[in-house]
Amino acid sequence: MAAATCWQQVWAAAQQPPPRFRSFTEPEAAEIAALAETILPEDDGTPGAKTAGVIRFIDAALAGHDEHKRPLYRTGLQQVQQQRRALFPDSSSIAALLTDQRIALLRAVEDTPFFSQLRRHTVMGFFCHPKYGGNRDQVGWKHIGFEPKMHHHHPFGAYEQEPE
Amino acid sequence: MKPMRRYSTREAVDFAVIGAGAAGGVVASELAKAGFSTVVLEQGPWLQQKDFAHDELAVMQRSLYINDHRKQPNTFRRRPEEQAKVQPAIEYARMVGGGSVHFTANYWRFHPNDFRERSLFGGVPGADLRDWPIPYDELEPYYTRAEWELGIAGQAGANPFDGPRSKPYPLPPLPVKSSGVLLDRAAKKLGLHSYPAPMAILSQPYRGRAACSECGYCEAFGCEMGAKSSTLAALIPGAVATGNCEIRPHSYVQRIETGADGRVNGVLYCDARRRTLRQRAKAVVVCANGAETPRLLLLSASKQHPQGLANGNGLVGKYLMFDTGIFVHGVFAKPLNEYKGAVVSRVIQDYYAADPKRGFYGGAGLDARYDLYPMTFALDGMPKDEPQWGAEWKKNIGYRYTRMMGILAHLSCLAVERNSISLDPEVKDAWGLPAIRVTFENHADDLKNMQWAADRSKEVLDAAGAEKIWQDKVASMTYSLHLMGTCRMGDDPRHSVVNRWHRSHDVKNLFLVDGSSLVTCGRQQPTATIQALAFRAAEHMAKAARNGELA
Ligand SMILES: Cc1cc2nc3c(=O)[nH]c(=O)nc-3n(C[C@H](O)[C@H](O)[C@H](O)COP(=O)(O)OP(=O)(O)OC[C@H]3O[C@@H](n4cnc5c(N)ncnc54)[C@H](O)[C@@H]3O)c2cc1C
């Protein structure tokens, strides 16, 4: 390769924004995010996996502590795509499916190791300490009414205040 | 504070203590206070209050404090005829303070009858139910010492089923929670006796330590306030201050060495830089818990002790007892917010004693709690016959988290010979040593007791007014947080590994002091008993050393 083209490539790369994901390509991330949103959907005005930044969490986990689970994601996603093409031959991606179609798709793969790992990671990303990239603005904790505090004061609940 | 005294590895110290956990912390501090040079070898790190954090992912999902199964795997099988598979089965905190740092802090004394169940109940086919070599009365002064030295909150006399006590608790009970109020109400309706939970958590400042701030991160976490009465917070600083005690973290003991006379004379351990070092000692005390103590004894086989140390009769590792229990879940109309504060505030022990009329051996201590942190709750908290993902599931977890309370029934677990800790013939840990192989299956009576206790728990939740109730499945336990009974104590050397003073029947200067000594396991919550035994054993060891018996 000529030195000039090589230099041009470096220059071109430097003009690109840094990749947003460490473990996924952009299209992969969009597919995984769509699956996570099906597991924990935005509903009744309460935020779901997308708002919580679950995909950020999963991406970071697969680049660190759970690096050994990357192959499971790779083959798992392939299987889900196959299943999608079987169920919805006209579809182009998971992200482009309608909500009900995505639910049907996940039902079809519910018993696979990939699904159980993805559910696990989705829940982790929804309820982890925000420093891990998920649970953005503590939306997970707020959803269940959990207030993280170093000091709590009595009474904690309704029953301590009730007359007998 | 003065810097910690350091000992040379070549100097034969009076005592090498292996493991700085619930028992090891007691033994080390008592021996150091009695004036003996003591080196404590602990495989885990020496963390401080400031190192603990509210991080569920790291602590609950990524083994931050516990034995990391990727580095220290174990194998599991139900029965000896099966091939064991790699599958996490045991959990303990791997750090200075051991299980006392991350435990939930329920601090129950055993009942006087726990020490003589064989005499009271009779034999149980398929199990080896035995009386202890010592009665409750002999241990009572040491329960009291443990409660006062560590700082236990509770109300003396409130539990009608407790044995006699020589002194009240040093601290008043922690405030009642909504679960406690509901348990009190249910107990009243059903004619049962609920009482304030005895907890190893400071309800008021005590001996220079701060009181609990009710943050709610007790179970599985370390306390940032120093209010949990771990050996790390309550005893280790005093032990170090004597100038006779060196705590050596990151010291993984791999072998106890034997001299030509058959007595032990030192330990081989691996430090953080993976160097193998030898600490010489006049006597060795193993406090590595009910799983690691038998493993280390088996790893220490020698010409003098070909079957493993202290294992002349082949009983090392046998009669493993698991943390047996069952959880019944309840949803209530109004928020309880059980995630705040110490886990348990009320207990019922009316069903504790075994009763032959039930048709099986077993008993239960019930406590009211909801101890699932948010992530664990979302992963495993909903009944299995409901959706586990999607909009409806999300709605359920959102509504229920603050409204749940359960009854955890803490149950008996019969000692069965084939339930054991042994060395896996194939699987190795990250240091190349044979991994622990766990063989465990609950006795049939344990399982009958489980359903019986779940039924009692349902009655309680129903009387408390729960809107929805469901129970976990009755099944033989495959994972345990309480590791008990693998080096039983007894007077008869044919049926036990240590004598009533925790001294090996075979090796005069070797002591085993931890959960492994337990003959029966009460109704779980073994730590008070383990620590009372440790205070008593240390007193005896000091006496023996002064009399020249160990030299
Ligand atoms: C999440 C959780 C909650 C619990 N809650 C309660 C409760 O509410 N009430 C209760 O009574 N009990 C509870 N327990 C159990 C309690 O923690 C144990 O019963 C208790 O800690 C056992 O004490 P021990 O001295 O036998 O062993 P440990 O406390 O386990 O101490 C053993 C120590 O030895 C070290 N060690 C092991 N092998 C080696 C080696 N080869 N070299 C060097 N060091 C070694 C370990 O790292 C550890 O620090 C709980 C346990 C868990 C996991």
Side-chain angles (χ1 to χ4, degrees), chain A residues 26-44:
Chain A
E26 289 279 343
E28 277 169 355
E31 297 293 78
I32 298 287
L35 291 175
E37 181 72 13
T38 316
I39 291 170
L40 259 167
E42 184 166 330
D43 183 58
D44 269 356

PDB file of all heavy atoms in Angstrom, chain A residues 26-44:
ATOM      1  N   GLU A  26     -22.526  -0.925  15.264  1.00  0.00           N
ATOM      2  CA  GLU A  26     -23.750  -0.124  15.441  1.00  0.00           C
ATOM      3  C   GLU A  26     -25.018  -0.949  15.159  1.00  0.00           C
ATOM      4  O   GLU A  26     -25.947  -0.926  15.960  1.00  0.00           O
ATOM      5  CB  GLU A  26     -23.724   1.112  14.529  1.00  0.00           C
ATOM      6  CG  GLU A  26     -22.718   2.167  14.944  1.00  0.00           C
ATOM      7  CD  GLU A  26     -23.222   3.077  16.067  1.00  0.00           C
ATOM      8  OE1 GLU A  26     -24.449   3.119  16.317  1.00  0.00           O
ATOM      9  OE2 GLU A  26     -22.384   3.727  16.703  1.00  0.00           O
ATOM     10  N   PRO A  27     -25.071  -1.677  14.026  1.00  0.00           N
ATOM     11  CA  PRO A  27     -26.298  -2.447  13.764  1.00  0.00           C
ATOM     12  C   PRO A  27     -26.545  -3.526  14.823  1.00  0.00           C
ATOM     13  O   PRO A  27     -27.678  -3.727  15.250  1.00  0.00           O
ATOM     14  CB  PRO A  27     -26.037  -3.088  12.392  1.00  0.00           C
ATOM     15  CG  PRO A  27     -24.899  -2.340  11.791  1.00  0.00           C
ATOM     16  CD  PRO A  27     -24.115  -1.751  12.900  1.00  0.00           C
ATOM     17  N   GLU A  28     -25.476  -4.191  15.274  1.00  0.00           N
ATOM     18  CA  GLU A  28     -25.665  -5.204  16.328  1.00  0.00           C
ATOM     19  C   GLU A  28     -26.250  -4.556  17.575  1.00  0.00           C
ATOM     20  O   GLU A  28     -27.177  -5.079  18.196  1.00  0.00           O
ATOM     21  CB  GLU A  28     -24.312  -5.831  16.715  1.00  0.00           C
ATOM     22  CG  GLU A  28     -23.845  -6.951  15.818  1.00  0.00           C
ATOM     23  CD  GLU A  28     -22.392  -7.335  16.100  1.00  0.00           C
ATOM     24  OE1 GLU A  28     -21.728  -6.661  16.927  1.00  0.00           O
ATOM     25  OE2 GLU A  28     -21.930  -8.292  15.475  1.00  0.00           O
ATOM     26  N   ALA A  29     -25.693  -3.421  17.949  1.00  0.00           N
ATOM     27  CA  ALA A  29     -26.163  -2.731  19.156  1.00  0.00           C
ATOM     28  C   ALA A  29     -27.638  -2.384  19.026  1.00  0.00           C
ATOM     29  O   ALA A  29     -28.416  -2.535  19.983  1.00  0.00           O
ATOM     30  CB  ALA A  29     -25.335  -1.477  19.401  1.00  0.00           C
ATOM     31  N   ALA A  30     -28.055  -1.967  17.836  1.00  0.00           N
ATOM     32  CA  ALA A  30     -29.466  -1.602  17.644  1.00  0.00           C
ATOM     33  C   ALA A  30     -30.358  -2.831  17.816  1.00  0.00           C
ATOM     34  O   ALA A  30     -31.450  -2.752  18.393  1.00  0.00           O
ATOM     35  CB  ALA A  30     -29.660  -0.996  16.259  1.00  0.00           C
ATOM     36  N   GLU A  31     -29.890  -3.978  17.345  1.00  0.00           N
ATOM     37  CA  GLU A  31     -30.678  -5.212  17.477  1.00  0.00           C
ATOM     38  C   GLU A  31     -30.779  -5.642  18.942  1.00  0.00           C
ATOM     39  O   GLU A  31     -31.855  -5.985  19.429  1.00  0.00           O
ATOM     40  CB  GLU A  31     -30.040  -6.340  16.640  1.00  0.00           C
ATOM     41  CG  GLU A  31     -30.010  -6.088  15.138  1.00  0.00           C
ATOM     42  CD  GLU A  31     -31.399  -6.062  14.510  1.00  0.00           C
ATOM     43  OE1 GLU A  31     -32.086  -5.044  14.653  1.00  0.00           O
ATOM     44  OE2 GLU A  31     -31.785  -7.067  13.886  1.00  0.00           O
ATOM     45  N   ILE A  32     -29.640  -5.645  19.631  1.00  0.00           N
ATOM     46  CA  ILE A  32     -29.641  -6.052  21.042  1.00  0.00           C
ATOM     47  C   ILE A  32     -30.507  -5.086  21.861  1.00  0.00           C
ATOM     48  O   ILE A  32     -31.284  -5.493  22.731  1.00  0.00           O
ATOM     49  CB  ILE A  32     -28.194  -6.083  21.611  1.00  0.00           C
ATOM     50  CG1 ILE A  32     -27.340  -7.119  20.864  1.00  0.00           C
ATOM     51  CG2 ILE A  32     -28.192  -6.351  23.115  1.00  0.00           C
ATOM     52  CD1 ILE A  32     -27.636  -8.562  21.181  1.00  0.00           C
ATOM     53  N   ALA A  33     -30.377  -3.802  21.554  1.00  0.00           N
ATOM     54  CA  ALA A  33     -31.164  -2.807  22.291  1.00  0.00           C
ATOM     55  C   ALA A  33     -32.659  -3.049  22.078  1.00  0.00           C
ATOM     56  O   ALA A  33     -33.462  -2.905  23.007  1.00  0.00           O
ATOM     57  CB  ALA A  33     -30.775  -1.400  21.851  1.00  0.00           C
ATOM     58  N   ALA A  34     -33.039  -3.450  20.876  1.00  0.00           N
ATOM     59  CA  ALA A  34     -34.458  -3.708  20.606  1.00  0.00           C
ATOM     60  C   ALA A  34     -34.947  -4.923  21.394  1.00  0.00           C
ATOM     61  O   ALA A  34     -36.073  -4.947  21.897  1.00  0.00           O
ATOM     62  CB  ALA A  34     -34.669  -3.925  19.109  1.00  0.00           C
ATOM     63  N   LEU A  35     -34.097  -5.929  21.521  1.00  0.00           N
ATOM     64  CA  LEU A  35     -34.471  -7.106  22.316  1.00  0.00           C
ATOM     65  C   LEU A  35     -34.594  -6.729  23.796  1.00  0.00           C
ATOM     66  O   LEU A  35     -35.537  -7.128  24.479  1.00  0.00           O
ATOM     67  CB  LEU A  35     -33.429  -8.221  22.142  1.00  0.00           C
ATOM     68  CG  LEU A  35     -33.373  -8.878  20.754  1.00  0.00           C
ATOM     69  CD1 LEU A  35     -32.221  -9.874  20.677  1.00  0.00           C
ATOM     70  CD2 LEU A  35     -34.693  -9.574  20.436  1.00  0.00           C
ATOM     71  N   ALA A  36     -33.629  -5.933  24.278  1.00  0.00           N
ATOM     72  CA  ALA A  36     -33.661  -5.518  25.688  1.00  0.00           C
ATOM     73  C   ALA A  36     -34.928  -4.709  25.974  1.00  0.00           C
ATOM     74  O   ALA A  36     -35.559  -4.871  27.027  1.00  0.00           O
ATOM     75  CB  ALA A  36     -32.411  -4.712  26.027  1.00  0.00           C
ATOM     76  N   GLU A  37     -35.305  -3.870  25.024  1.00  0.00           N
ATOM     77  CA  GLU A  37     -36.514  -3.053  25.209  1.00  0.00           C
ATOM     78  C   GLU A  37     -37.776  -3.926  25.225  1.00  0.00           C
ATOM     79  O   GLU A  37     -38.777  -3.565  25.830  1.00  0.00           O
ATOM     80  CB  GLU A  37     -36.584  -1.984  24.112  1.00  0.00           C
ATOM     81  CG  GLU A  37     -37.772  -1.038  24.191  1.00  0.00           C
ATOM     82  CD  GLU A  37     -37.708  -0.026  25.344  1.00  0.00           C
ATOM     83  OE1 GLU A  37     -36.628   0.128  25.960  1.00  0.00           O
ATOM     84  OE2 GLU A  37     -38.745   0.602  25.628  1.00  0.00           O
ATOM     85  N   THR A  38     -37.709  -5.083  24.601  1.00  0.00           N
ATOM     86  CA  THR A  38     -38.853  -5.998  24.633  1.00  0.00           C
ATOM     87  C   THR A  38     -38.944  -6.690  25.998  1.00  0.00           C
ATOM     88  O   THR A  38     -40.019  -6.971  26.504  1.00  0.00           O
ATOM     89  CB  THR A  38     -38.717  -7.055  23.509  1.00  0.00           C
ATOM     90  OG1 THR A  38     -38.306  -6.385  22.327  1.00  0.00           O
ATOM     91  CG2 THR A  38     -40.021  -7.776  23.271  1.00  0.00           C
ATOM     92  N   ILE A  39     -37.791  -6.924  26.579  1.00  0.00           N
ATOM     93  CA  ILE A  39     -37.762  -7.534  27.912  1.00  0.00           C
ATOM     94  C   ILE A  39     -38.251  -6.525  28.951  1.00  0.00           C
ATOM     95  O   ILE A  39     -39.086  -6.827  29.802  1.00  0.00           O
ATOM     96  CB  ILE A  39     -36.327  -8.024  28.228  1.00  0.00           C
ATOM     97  CG1 ILE A  39     -35.988  -9.207  27.322  1.00  0.00           C
ATOM     98  CG2 ILE A  39     -36.189  -8.389  29.700  1.00  0.00           C
ATOM     99  CD1 ILE A  39     -34.527  -9.634  27.362  1.00  0.00           C
ATOM    100  N   LEU A  40     -37.733  -5.313  28.869  1.00  0.00           N
ATOM    101  CA  LEU A  40     -38.118  -4.241  29.802  1.00  0.00           C
ATOM    102  C   LEU A  40     -38.628  -3.045  28.995  1.00  0.00           C
ATOM    103  O   LEU A  40     -37.894  -2.099  28.730  1.00  0.00           O
ATOM    104  CB  LEU A  40     -36.889  -3.836  30.627  1.00  0.00           C
ATOM    105  CG  LEU A  40     -36.787  -4.387  32.034  1.00  0.00           C
ATOM    106  CD1 LEU A  40     -35.402  -4.176  32.612  1.00  0.00           C
ATOM    107  CD2 LEU A  40     -37.830  -3.781  32.955  1.00  0.00           C
ATOM    108  N   PRO A  41     -39.894  -3.098  28.583  1.00  0.00           N
ATOM    109  CA  PRO A  41     -40.395  -2.066  27.662  1.00  0.00           C
ATOM    110  C   PRO A  41     -40.792  -0.769  28.366  1.00  0.00           C
ATOM    111  O   PRO A  41     -41.159  -0.777  29.538  1.00  0.00           O
ATOM    112  CB  PRO A  41     -41.642  -2.731  27.075  1.00  0.00           C
ATOM    113  CG  PRO A  41     -42.115  -3.667  28.146  1.00  0.00           C
ATOM    114  CD  PRO A  41     -40.904  -4.122  28.901  1.00  0.00           C
ATOM    115  N   GLU A  42     -40.716   0.310  27.634  1.00  0.00           N
ATOM    116  CA  GLU A  42     -41.329   1.542  28.105  1.00  0.00           C
ATOM    117  C   GLU A  42     -42.830   1.302  28.071  1.00  0.00           C
ATOM    118  O   GLU A  42     -43.356   0.790  27.092  1.00  0.00           O
ATOM    119  CB  GLU A  42     -40.948   2.694  27.170  1.00  0.00           C
ATOM    120  CG  GLU A  42     -41.478   4.009  27.653  1.00  0.00           C
ATOM    121  CD  GLU A  42     -40.837   5.188  26.927  1.00  0.00           C
ATOM    122  OE1 GLU A  42     -39.664   5.076  26.509  1.00  0.00           O
ATOM    123  OE2 GLU A  42     -41.535   6.192  26.785  1.00  0.00           O
ATOM    124  N   ASP A  43     -43.506   1.625  29.155  1.00  0.00           N
ATOM    125  CA  ASP A  43     -44.905   1.229  29.251  1.00  0.00           C
ATOM    126  C   ASP A  43     -45.602   2.129  30.250  1.00  0.00           C
ATOM    127  O   ASP A  43     -45.026   2.448  31.296  1.00  0.00           O
ATOM    128  CB  ASP A  43     -44.946  -0.234  29.735  1.00  0.00           C
ATOM    129  CG  ASP A  43     -46.355  -0.766  29.795  1.00  0.00           C
ATOM    130  OD1 ASP A  43     -47.024  -0.761  28.750  1.00  0.00           O
ATOM    131  OD2 ASP A  43     -46.791  -1.170  30.888  1.00  0.00           O
ATOM    132  N   ASP A  44     -46.823   2.530  29.945  1.00  0.00           N
ATOM    133  CA  ASP A  44     -47.582   3.356  30.885  1.00  0.00           C
ATOM    134  C   ASP A  44     -46.780   4.573  31.340  1.00  0.00           C
ATOM    135  O   ASP A  44     -46.850   4.962  32.507  1.00  0.00           O
ATOM    136  CB  ASP A  44     -47.930   2.543  32.148  1.00  0.00           C
ATOM    137  CG  ASP A  44     -49.276   1.853  32.006  1.00  0.00           C
ATOM    138  OD1 ASP A  44     -49.937   2.079  30.977  1.00  0.00           O
ATOM    139  OD2 ASP A  44     -49.640   1.109  32.940  1.00  0.00           O
TER     140      ASP A  44
END
